[in-house]
Amino acid sequence: MTRKHSQRGSALLETVLVFPVLIGVTLLAADLYNLHQARSYLEQSAHTIASVIGVQSTLDSNGLEALLERATSMNRAPFELIISKVESDRRMDWRPLYRGTAQGVCQRHANGERFTGEFPAELRAEDEQTLTSVPMVVVQVCSTVESLALSNALLGGDKIEVQAISRLQHGTPTLDEALTREFSPRDEQ
């Protein structure tokens, strides 16, 4: 009988030791899933906004707000959105447009009137003169991970940041009065 009691005690002890590890692994897997899903939603939002703005010849404030509302409707965490119009020579003729439910989350990619962020390799020109007339829209969407992950300290990083770039196919879009005031060039203020 002592052998059976000993085996039952060992099984109970093993269960008590392994159970917290299983719970920890399960919570970590759930956090990784939540972060991956949030990143996917942010990427989808950024690409949708960039591609839709990229094919517009005119922009009005109501249409832009509807686009932003629809494109970011799946984002559960607080986010910041920055829209910039950038020339291929990195000149920014417009001020960046800031939207979202959070502020100060995104890294700023502007130094005065110059874009300092990265361009994808296919947008870089070996000869800078060839692409100077092709304006682009750069959309950054950033979110904090505090509300998404219980173990964000273990996962490293406290924010998710994505960027989408699309060429403006009709050149610089015509803006309505409200957007003209908001995007107005820096020297007109």
Side-chain angles (χ1 to χ4, degrees), residues 87-104:
E87 302 294 330
S88 295
D89 63 357
R90 297 187 172 275
R91 189 172 29 92
M92 295 173 58
D93 294 334
W94 294 349
R95 289 184 302 180
L97 177 72
Y98 298 92
R99 293 288 191 272
T101 56
Q103 293 180 348

Side-chain angles (χ1 to χ4, degrees), residues 135-146:
M136 292 167 274
V137 62
V138 178
V139 177
Q140 287 176 262
V141 185
C142 310
S143 180
T144 58
V145 298
E146 294 142 2

Side-chain angles (χ1 to χ4, degrees), residues 75 92 100-101 147 158:
N75 297 335
M92 295 173 58
T101 56
S147 63
D158 57 347

